[in-house]
Amino acid sequence: MRTLETNRLILREWRESDLDDYFEYAQNPNVGPNAGWKPYSDKSEALMMLKTFIENDELWAIVDKNLIKVIGSITLRNDEKRENTKTKMMGFVLSESYWGREIMLEAVKSVLQYGFEELKLELISVYHFPLNYQSKRVIEKAGFKFEGVLRDSFTNFNGLVYDDCCYSMKKSEYFENKNRF
């Protein structure tokens, strides 16, 4: 995993010292459920997940450069719904206090550049639940194309089944629109 940098952000590997920042946003009931996971009730739960992040080389911590604080995460990993080896799936989550500032859009653009220009991917997909309007907005602003809805495709932490709204961007589309990045 390579560290990526934007005007306001550093995307880097996770560290155990990130626990307090991670727990701060991961306990928020408005954050986790939008991504399908249960908000944490104590730091020991967050620490267990943080350790898996550290072992994983597909998940960046999103760090606010000014505060040197972890404010979210973004991933580029295998898309289990596609067999093409030149395809990855993006996923992201952001602390609620940073919503509406185009922070995630900045991170997404950086990961798109990395995926298409350095990893030489052919396609990057991204999904959101139908009621997650914040993610939908980021996805559309980044230039992803709507593919459709995978009905009843995700079971969340409390057993509820959700549809997945599916978007993708091909390498050719990224390079056609690169100037807007």
Side-chain angles (χ1 to χ4, degrees), residues 98-113:
Y98 286 82
W99 292 359
R101 300 187 201 176
E102 297 198 348
I103 296 269
M104 189 52 74
L105 183 60
E106 192 171 316
V108 165
K109 288 177 179 181
S110 180
V111 172
L112 285 171
Q113 181 179 10

Side-chain angles (χ1 to χ4, degrees), residues 74-144:
I74 189 165
T75 185
L76 197 56
R77 63 184 175 91
N78 290 334
D79 185 342
E80 297 154 3
K81 297 173 176 112
R82 299 175 196 263
E83 293 183 12
N84 182 347
T85 58
K86 290 287 196 176
T87 296
K88 295 279 187 188
M89 178 182 77
M90 183 182 293
F92 49 79
V93 65
L94 187 66
S95 171
E96 185 177 21
S97 59
Y98 286 82
W99 292 359
R101 300 187 201 176
E102 297 198 348
I103 296 269
M104 189 52 74
L105 183 60
E106 192 171 316
V108 165
K109 288 177 179 181
S110 180
V111 172
L112 285 171
Q113 181 179 10
Y114 174 73
F116 288 122
E117 296 185 27
E118 294 187 39
L119 297 181
K120 309 295 185 204
L121 297 175
E122 294 295 323
L123 182 137
I124 296 175
S125 61
V126 64
Y127 303 84
H128 73 80
F129 300 136
L131 295 177
N132 187 342
Y133 300 113
Q134 293 91 350
S135 289
K136 177 182 180 177
R137 191 162 173 195
V138 170
I139 291 164
E140 290 176 346
K141 280 186 169 185
F144 284 90

Side-chain angles (χ1 to χ4, degrees), residues 2 24 28 45 56 59 71 75 86 100 112 123 125 143 172:
R2 189 169 83 67
E24 183 180 319
N28 184 327
E45 291 177 308
N56 182 333
L59 184 72
I71 59 170
T75 185
K86 290 287 196 176
L112 285 171
L123 182 137
S125 61
S172 59

Side-chain angles (χ1 to χ4, degrees), residues 5-167:
E5 195 166 332
T6 71
N7 289 336
R8 299 180 286 177
L9 307 171
I10 299 169
L11 280 56
R12 60 151 171 85
E13 76 288 341
W14 283 89
R15 304 172 185 149
E16 281 200 36
S17 59
D18 297 328
L19 178 60
D20 289 339
D21 293 345
Y22 174 54
F23 180 68
E24 183 180 319
Y25 74 79
Q27 69 179 333
N28 184 327
N30 296 322
V31 174
N34 280 333
W37 44 270
K38 181 182 179 215
Y40 298 126
S41 56
D42 63 62
K43 279 190 185 176
S44 64
E45 291 177 308
L47 179 59
M48 286 182 0
M49 185 55 71
L50 181 62
K51 287 180 179 182
T52 66
F53 293 171
I54 292 167
E55 294 169 9
N56 182 333
D57 67 348
E58 299 174 324
L59 184 72
W60 288 274
I62 300 174
V63 179
D64 179 317
K65 273 186 185 180
N66 292 329
L67 300 176
I68 311 300
K69 176 184 178 87
V70 175
I71 59 170
S73 66
I74 189 165
T75 185
L76 197 56
R77 63 184 175 91
N78 290 334
D79 185 342
E80 297 154 3
K81 297 173 176 112
R82 299 175 196 263
E83 293 183 12
N84 182 347
T85 58
K86 290 287 196 176
T87 296
K88 295 279 187 188
M89 178 182 77
M90 183 182 293
F92 49 79
V93 65
L94 187 66
S95 171
E96 185 177 21
S97 59
Y98 286 82
W99 292 359
R101 300 187 201 176
E102 297 198 348
I103 296 269
M104 189 52 74
L105 183 60
E106 192 171 316
V108 165
K109 288 177 179 181
S110 180
V111 172
L112 285 171
Q113 181 179 10
Y114 174 73
F116 288 122
E117 296 185 27
E118 294 187 39
L119 297 181
K120 309 295 185 204
L121 297 175
E122 294 295 323
L123 182 137
I124 296 175
S125 61
V126 64
Y127 303 84
H128 73 80
F129 300 136
L131 295 177
N132 187 342
Y133 300 113
Q134 293 91 350
S135 289
K136 177 182 180 177
R137 191 162 173 195
V138 170
I139 291 164
E140 290 176 346
K141 280 186 169 185
F144 284 90
K145 305 287 186 219
F146 181 68
E147 287 188 5
V149 176
L150 297 172
R151 298 184 316 172
D152 293 344
S153 65
F154 183 86
T155 303
N156 79 354
F157 63 92
N158 61 7
L160 295 175
V161 178
Y162 291 109
D163 295 345
D164 258 338
C165 298
C166 177
Y167 296 73

